[in-house]
Amino acid sequence: MLPFKKSVLITLFLMPFVHYGQYTDQINSNRPGETMSAYSVGKNVIQVETGIFGITANHSLLNYDVNGFGLDATLRWGAFMDRLEVIADIQYQNDQFDTNISSTNRANFRQTNLGAKFLIYDPFKNYEKKINLYSWKANQRFNWRQFVPAVSLFAGANFVFEGNPYAFSLASSISPKIMLITQNHFGDGRWVFVTNIIADYIGTDYPSYGYIVTLTRGFSKRWSGFIENQGYNSDFYSDMIARGGAAYLLNDNLQIDASISTNFKDTPSILYGGLGVSWRYDGFFKKSGAK
């Protein structure tokens, strides 16, 4: 085989694995889905993921309507080491709550969470796929390793402030949140499957347990799309939500996105629509061996 052909073949097979490190050449945002990825943004990297959303809801039994808007924002910082990420996650909502006899304007934080994520296992660390330069068929064999996920743990705290109309209690509180995260890359790396198993508001009168699963597909160097299913259950509220959307990469450090979400019941029925942006600052990042 000619040296040029060898070089091309090696490059093609190595390209998908560039994505699996903690730091990537292009921004890797959790938006517009709700799952948290297993990988961090990279040591000393700061990333902001934010967006606006509109919401409409109707309860068929209690006969109320909700119409409003909100802002969600996540700050991610690759702290101290590649495997560790510190995360601040907030969601603010302003809406009009209407019943047959009253109308109330509500405005407060639906979510205020601070925590950290640590990568426990990376199936691609110290792994190099062997390339057979003389057999195209051998290189196309099914790779069972793609079913081995990256695994991370998240631990954090929910902060609920007194008088919050979106909380199950009007008293202020701090409660733990923990999450098990898995992430698989399938095929040529364009398919990414992420699972979050969540225990939330632990130790309160209404602990919540749930999951989120997200399947993302990269269609080109700039376009990607996703579908997602989320379920959660507590004595205070239970639901199942479906989401879908797309993201567009403006440059290596900037992404815009759009999504829509709906649930599967009418107590209440809920519809969300959102637009967002993710921005990364990697000026403090140094590649291994760099001075």
Side-chain angles (χ1 to χ4, degrees):
M1 182 179 294
L2 296 175
F4 174 77
K5 291 185 177 181
K6 288 184 179 180
S7 300
V8 171
L9 185 60
I10 292 172
T11 301
L12 289 174
F13 278 96
L14 290 181
M15 281 178 61
F17 294 96
V18 173
H19 180 74
Y20 300 135
Q22 296 288 281
Y23 175 83
T24 57
D25 291 334
Q26 296 176 336
I27 186 173
N28 192 355
S29 174
N30 290 327
R31 290 190 60 90
E34 291 293 325
T35 47
M36 187 181 294
S37 66
Y39 294 101
S40 78
V41 292
K43 184 180 178 181
N44 297 326
V45 175
I46 298 172
Q47 190 161 306
V48 179
E49 303 171 6
T50 186
I52 57 173
F53 63 87
I55 178 176
T56 180
N58 173 268
H59 201 296
S60 62
L61 297 180
L62 300 180
N63 293 319
Y64 70 71
D65 295 295
V66 175
N67 292 281
F69 64 92
L71 169 73
D72 52 62
T74 302
L75 175 63
R76 302 171 62 186
W77 172 44
F80 311 118
M81 62 181 71
D82 286 338
R83 292 188 170 198
L84 181 65
E85 180 178 289
V86 176
I87 303 166
D89 190 9
I90 64 170
Q91 185 181 85
Y92 179 84
Q93 185 168 314
N94 186 311
D95 61 42
Q96 193 74 23
F97 184 88
D98 297 320
T99 69
N100 292 332
I101 59 174
S102 67
S103 180
T104 305
N105 180 257
R106 305 182 301 179
N108 214 307
F109 290 96
R110 290 196 66 97
Q111 176 175 288
T112 306
N113 184 272
L114 177 64
K117 175 181 68 180
F118 185 76
L119 180 68
I120 298 173
Y121 176 71
D122 181 0
F124 297 99
K125 187 176 179 62
N126 299 322
Y127 169 72
E128 182 177 350
K129 184 176 180 179
K130 295 181 179 179
I131 307 299
N132 190 329
L133 299 179
Y134 303 98
S135 174
W136 180 89
K137 184 177 180 180
N139 291 319
Q140 297 302 309
R141 288 175 182 168
F142 188 80
N143 184 10
W144 290 98
R145 191 181 184 88
Q146 64 189 330
F147 287 98
V148 180
V151 180
S152 288
L153 282 178
F154 170 87
N158 297 295
F159 297 86
V160 178
F161 304 102
E162 185 175 356
N164 191 327
Y166 302 114
F168 57 79
S169 172
L170 294 179
S172 60
S173 66
I174 301 176
S175 59
K177 176 180 181 178
I178 59 175
M179 187 187 313
L180 175 67
I181 306 165
T182 66
Q183 181 168 332
N184 295 83
H185 295 253
F186 293 111
D188 58 1
R190 290 178 179 266
W191 294 95
V192 180
F193 183 69
V194 180
T195 300
N196 293 176
I197 306 298
I198 308 163
D200 211 354
Y201 299 101
I202 302 167
T204 67
D205 293 335
Y206 298 97
S208 176
Y209 305 96
Y211 70 89
I212 316 175
V213 291
T214 306
L215 182 64
T216 302
R217 173 72 161 95
F219 297 109
S220 68
K221 290 182 178 180
R222 296 192 178 272
W223 282 103
S224 65
F226 85 101
I227 55 174
E228 183 172 274
N229 177 249
Q230 179 178 7
Y232 45 90
N233 181 68
S234 75
D235 292 337
F236 181 68
Y237 183 74
S238 300
D239 209 343
M240 183 176 292
I241 298 172
R243 296 186 183 89
Y248 181 77
L249 189 70
L250 292 172
N251 58 52
D252 286 347
N253 294 313
L254 186 64
Q255 171 191 291
I256 57 175
D257 62 74
S259 65
I260 189 168
S261 310
T262 187
N263 65 346
F264 297 97
K265 64 180 187 179
D266 57 5
T267 55
S269 62
I270 302 174
L271 181 66
Y272 284 89
L275 299 171
V277 60
S278 300
W279 172 77
R280 177 180 73 170
Y281 179 73
D282 60 355
F284 299 121
F285 173 78
K286 292 183 179 180
K287 294 184 178 181
S288 299
K291 296 182 180 180

